[in-house]
Amino acid sequence: MRKMTPILAAAAVMAASTSCSHNTVQTAPDQQAAVPATPVAPPQSSPPPDAPAPAGAAGDVLLAEWSGPHGGVPAFDRMDLAAMKPALEAGMAQNLAEIDAIVANPEPPTFENTILAMERAGRPLGRAFTYWGIWSGNLSTPEFRKIQTEMAPRLSAFNSKITQNDKLFARVRAVRDSPETARRPPAERRLVQLVYDGFARNGATLEGAAKERYAAINERLAELHTKFANNVLADEEGYTLFLDASQLGGLPDSFKDGAAALAKERGQEGKYAVANTRSSIDPFLVYSTDRALREKVWRTFYSRGDNGDEHDNNAVIAEILKLRDERVGLLGYDSYAQWRLEDRMAKTPERAMALMEAVWPAALARVRQEVADMQAVADAEGAGITIEPWDYRHYAEKVRKAKYDLDSDEVKQYLQLDKLRDAMFHVAGELFGFRFTPVPEGSVPVYHPDVRVWEVTSKAGGEHVGYWYLDPFARPGKRSGAWASSYRGHETFDGLQTVLASNNSNFIKGAPGEPVLMSWDDAETYFHEFGHALHALSSNVAYPTLNGGVRDYTEFQSQLLERWLLTAPVISGYLVHSKTGEPIPPELVAKIKKAATFNQGFDTTEYLASALMDLRYHTVDPTGIDPDAFEREQLAKLGMPREIVMRHRSPQFTHVFSGEGYSAGYYGYLWADVLTSDAAEAFSEAPGGFYDATVAKRLVDSLFAPRNSVDPADAYRSFRGRDAKIDALMRYRGFPVPH
Ligand SMILES: [Zn+2]
């Protein structure tokens, strides 16, 4: 589970708040799936609006309570990087003193003096982390990165001081086991359990030799995870293919320009470099007409970490699996996957496995069709080849052009940044009852002139809900991609704290007065990230920890919102041509919908092969495992098509072996996708369609507002009246629905 108590928030915030790269199987995973429960000060002790920060030590500007409207807003206009380190140091010291006071309390442990005291602790540090998140995501500089490197081990040591505090855990355990807790409302019982699990699932219940062994395993695992990641990186950086001008057949100019620049950077000016990374090899495999080169590039990329040299990861995997299994054995679990999934929505490896196995045969059947289509193209060209893995992307592109051709420049004319934002506001108004109003300039501080802020109020009663910050444009020092993060989460236990949510992306600014246009993928991402913001803004929970996320569930809300992009009011009111103002024509909409099922056999199969392998590795007895042989045997058992390779082969599967964020959890993308499709059908079947007021209310009440105060499986049942079924997902991907 994610450790969501404020005192444990440091690790969460170090991963740059909520980050998100859009979509399921095509992109790298979110590092962080949910909004951290941002610690904040109770409003009654806030200074009056516009009060200056209290004078004192150097870090004070970043630790100070927030002033301004509605419980205060971050002082983004007074950020001072020189204050970062002292602020963290003072914040950590203060937080540890709060923990000491909880532990030293002579009264017997209670919900109030232990759990609530923990929820309340670490507020100043939490505020410092809000600024930290801005510097790491939106305004990074070499100076900040130096501070980051220096502070990372100290923050990690700080976290350990709390998670390994035996006396603190003894109090938490006493509260969890007390009859008084059993009589509390469900959300409070869940809070106690989540706090307890944050300790117990990570070894706090162990004593003596077992405890020592547990710590030793963790230390060794940390080394192995880093080694795994470094080996993959070494093979990505160590193999660069340099081409001359005669070897560029089929490659687009944009690729050639990038390759020429990279070759120059690597000391081979005049040549063209293909880096051994996914962003380089993907377009190369699509466009290069030189089949021998495609094979070379393909083999090099899928051999990362598997070359039998000093960067080979097979022995590293074997040791990681053995240690993970031993570690959860100390806690009494049968397998690592059993431990990992216990607090996920799926709950057991068997359920996650059953979902994947239900989709797998349809994906394989689709691959056979795709290969047949591609073989027909190759035969018609007189290529005289049999489709091999290094041909798949190349011929798939030819099939796409012939069967699904979509002119991306034409689509772009209907996707204007400002119009899409207004479309999102419209959807939020209809479904969530929110109104977005721009704040008067200067009334809410921002950290960059590009950032704009809206006040969110209830359409019905006009009550203040929160603020929404939008940072839309690319600039140096800003991380790539798109993400959502919250500066403050909803809570009520010490008085109402309203939400401060943000969306961040990397659109390229247009010429003054010209609309900013975007691709279809970017438009989906824009809606996706806004879904995360709406999830934060809808929260009705009382305690910070209950704002936390569950990894196979938190992408569901955001994925679902993407489905409103092609609803009638959005099409007619907002997807309008940048010059003529005409709505997007129905033929173009039909083409977009059809293109969504293109190459689903390939996408689903390469993803599922990795996800299935991840779960199998973490459910078998790893004694004496040889990953190379294991991978081959399992793929043979699955009937893996010879034309496709796992998206992440074992020796390069960094999601799973360079840390534990996605270990035994790669299935989560498909899990969230099942929920998304099933919930979308609840709307399409309703009398009012995607704007049906009854279904919308149930959606907000059951699946958005409760955050993690309700078990996600129970929440889903209260929305749909049953568990999610895979049928809707199968239809959406263009697969036959199994009986
Ligand atoms: Zn997301």
Side-chain angles (χ1 to χ4, degrees):
M1 79 155 223
R2 305 225 8 271
K3 306 178 193 84
M4 291 318 308
T5 60
I7 50 164
L8 303 181
V13 182
M14 284 173 65
S17 323
T18 306
S19 45
C20 185
S21 31
H22 159 254
N23 248 324
T24 53
V25 297
Q26 275 84 6
T27 53
D30 298 359
Q31 303 158 9
Q32 190 72 48
V35 179
T38 311
V40 280
Q44 58 269 32
S45 55
S46 295
D50 304 317
D60 278 2
V61 63
L62 303 180
L63 295 166
E65 284 174 2
W66 294 342
S67 60
H70 297 291
V73 290
F76 287 138
D77 52 344
R78 295 209 299 268
M79 286 171 69
D80 172 11
L81 190 56
M84 189 76 253
K85 223 174 87 178
L88 291 177
E89 279 161 351
M92 287 191 284
Q94 204 174 337
N95 197 342
L96 290 175
E98 287 168 317
I99 296 300
D100 286 346
I102 294 170
V103 169
N105 191 332
E107 300 292 321
T110 64
F111 181 75
E112 283 77 13
N113 73 20
T114 302
I115 304 295
L116 292 195
M118 287 169 72
E119 291 291 282
R120 207 169 274 136
R123 303 284 182 162
L125 183 61
R127 288 192 287 271
F129 277 133
T130 296
Y131 301 109
W132 170 285
I134 298 295
W135 271 308
S136 78
N138 305 65
L139 297 175
S140 188
T141 57
E143 294 73 39
F144 173 72
R145 287 195 287 275
K146 240 174 84 188
I147 297 173
Q148 218 173 3
T149 308
E150 186 187 342
M151 294 309 287
R154 295 172 62 184
L155 290 165
S156 153
F158 159 78
N159 266 335
S160 300
K161 271 188 197 156
I162 297 170
T163 51
Q164 288 164 18
N165 186 324
D166 292 340
K167 288 177 180 157
L168 182 63
F169 176 61
R171 289 187 74 94
V172 170
R173 169 142 66 181
V175 175
R176 191 200 63 146
D177 295 342
S178 99
E180 195 268 339
T181 296
R183 290 191 292 270
R184 289 196 166 269
E188 291 182 356
R189 292 206 305 272
R190 186 168 172 85
L191 168 63
V192 174
Q193 189 64 39
L194 289 172
V195 173
Y196 174 87
D197 286 347
F199 289 90
R201 287 174 46 74
N202 295 296
T205 54
L206 300 175
E207 283 165 13
K211 195 177 188 79
E212 275 170 35
R213 180 64 191 148
Y214 191 95
I217 290 175
N218 268 353
E219 213 170 289
R220 177 66 183 151
L221 275 175
E223 286 171 16
L224 290 168
H225 293 153
T226 306
K227 190 172 175 190
F228 186 94
N230 288 342
N231 282 341
V232 175
L233 198 63
D235 279 355
E236 291 190 349
E237 290 175 347
Y239 294 83
T240 305
L241 180 64
F242 292 97
L243 305 176
D244 59 43
S246 70
Q247 296 172 297
L248 306 176
L251 296 169
D253 287 344
S254 58
F255 187 92
K256 289 184 211 167
D257 292 347
L262 185 65
K264 187 177 171 192
E265 194 186 304
R266 300 201 175 169
Q268 301 238 22
E269 195 168 359
K271 293 212 164 200
Y272 299 84
V274 183
N276 193 27
T277 60
R278 194 178 296 279
S279 56
S280 259
I281 69 110
D282 265 358
F284 189 86
L285 292 173
V286 170
Y287 296 111
S288 172
T289 49
D290 187 330
R291 189 170 190 237
L293 277 180
R294 285 205 309 268
E295 177 175 354
K296 190 177 162 103
V297 162
W298 183 92
R299 286 194 188 280
T300 308
F301 185 69
Y302 288 101
S303 299
R304 288 168 302 145
D306 198 22
N307 293 307
D309 56 12
E310 81 262 40
H311 300 307
D312 191 287
N313 265 332
N314 285 288
V316 179
I317 295 173
E319 192 180 348
I320 287 175
L321 291 172
K322 198 171 115 303
L323 290 174
R324 285 179 179 174
D325 186 65
E326 184 189 347
R327 195 186 64 190
V328 300
L330 293 170
L331 299 174
Y333 293 89
D334 293 338
S335 72
Y336 180 85
Q338 189 190 50
W339 169 79
R340 178 90 277 176
L341 270 70
E342 185 185 52
D343 62 355
R344 301 276 159 89
M345 187 173 175
K347 302 253 183 351
T348 67
E350 291 74 21
R351 293 185 65 206
M353 195 72 95
L355 166 64
M356 293 193 281
E357 285 171 351
V359 178
W360 180 252
L364 293 192
R366 174 54 61 84
V367 167
R368 283 191 288 275
Q369 292 167 5
E370 287 171 6
V371 171
D373 284 349
M374 293 188 293
Q375 189 66 54
V377 172
D379 292 350
E381 283 179 349
I385 61 158
T386 303
I387 298 292
E388 296 288 346
W390 42 92
D391 299 319
Y392 211 113
R393 289 178 180 80
H394 186 67
Y395 281 94
E397 176 62 14
K398 295 186 177 197
V399 173
R400 190 188 70 78
K401 279 215 156 121
K403 283 177 83 169
Y404 299 88
D405 202 17
L406 194 58
D407 180 349
S408 53
D409 278 335
E410 189 190 353
V411 175
K412 226 175 176 173
Q413 295 303 321
Y414 297 94
L415 302 171
Q416 307 174 52
L417 183 68
D418 290 355
K419 290 276 181 202
L420 282 169
R421 188 196 60 224
D422 291 344
M424 301 190 314
F425 290 168
H426 174 78
V427 171
E430 295 296 304
L431 266 63
F432 293 77
F434 291 156
R435 172 174 286 128
F436 286 74
T437 313
V439 302
E441 205 169 319
S443 62
V444 174
V446 292
Y447 51 82
H448 189 278
D450 284 351
V451 181
R452 291 180 62 194
V453 185
W454 281 258
E455 185 183 5
V456 187
T457 52
S458 142
K459 259 169 77 179
E463 305 90 35
H464 177 82
V465 173
Y467 288 109
W468 182 67
Y469 295 65
L470 177 64
D471 182 0
F473 298 118
R475 65 174 162 268
K478 190 171 177 182
R479 58 176 272 219
S480 62
W483 69 99
S485 70
S486 286
Y487 311 139
R488 184 168 67 205
H490 182 275
E491 59 176 71
T492 58
F493 81 111
D494 267 343
L496 175 66
Q497 286 285 329
T498 51
V499 178
L500 303 173
S502 80
N503 280 163
N504 309 270
S505 37
N506 276 285
F507 297 109
I508 307 300
K509 259 191 223 178
E514 289 289 308
V516 176
L517 303 178
M518 66 176 87
S519 69
W520 183 255
D521 275 358
D522 284 345
E524 283 189 326
T525 306
Y526 205 32
F527 268 60
H528 175 104
E529 301 304 338
F530 191 61
H532 283 303
L534 289 173
H535 193 191
L537 287 161
S538 322
S539 171
N540 67 2
V541 306
Y543 306 103
T545 291
L546 297 180
N547 275 312
V550 179
R551 174 137 289 168
D552 55 3
Y553 181 59
T554 46
E555 287 305 312
F556 151 66
Q557 286 84 358
S558 49
Q559 286 181 18
L560 184 63
L561 208 84
E562 296 172 30
R563 301 294 180 99
W564 269 265
L565 188 50
L566 276 184
T567 54
V570 172
I571 289 173
S572 61
Y574 304 95
L575 301 189
V576 295
H577 196 277
S578 62
K579 300 217 164 62
T580 66
E582 289 294 317
I584 188 166
E587 309 83 64
L588 199 49
V589 172
K591 271 191 183 176
I592 291 169
K593 285 184 176 164
K594 190 176 168 206
T597 62
F598 165 70
N599 224 28
Q600 275 295 344
F602 178 87
D603 290 345
T604 306
T605 300
E606 68 155 12
Y607 160 76
L608 271 183
S610 288
L612 283 160
M613 197 69 66
D614 169 32
L615 265 195
R616 291 188 176 188
Y617 270 127
H618 290 104
T619 44
V620 297
D621 176 359
T623 313
I625 197 166
D626 169 4
D628 200 52
F630 185 83
E631 184 183 289
R632 238 177 299 118
E633 288 159 18
Q634 294 297 322
L635 290 173
K637 272 192 204 165
L638 283 166
M640 182 75 171
R642 53 176 288 284
E643 299 86 356
I644 297 184
V645 66
M646 296 163 68
R647 181 167 177 81
H648 310 280
R649 287 197 53 233
S650 310
Q652 53 217 219
F653 205 168
T654 49
H655 299 72
V656 167
F657 296 119
S658 71
E660 299 191 63
Y662 275 84
S663 45
Y666 196 61
Y667 76 90
Y669 293 101
L670 184 70
W671 191 270
D673 241 11
V674 168
L675 300 175
T676 300
S677 293
D678 191 59
E681 283 198 355
F683 281 95
S684 60
E685 291 158 1
F690 276 81
Y691 294 87
D692 189 275
T694 313
V695 183
K697 183 172 174 2
R698 231 171 36 234
L699 179 81
V700 177
D701 292 352
S702 302
L703 297 178
F704 276 71
R707 300 286 311 186
N708 196 17
S709 66
V710 175
D711 182 288
D714 294 338
Y716 196 82
R717 250 170 253 131
S718 75
F719 168 69
R720 199 67 165 110
R722 57 164 173 77
D723 289 328
K725 293 194 231 173
I726 69 163
D727 305 24
L729 172 95
M730 302 299 270
R731 281 189 280 273
Y732 193 71
R733 293 195 179 189
F735 295 163
V737 177
H739 303 295

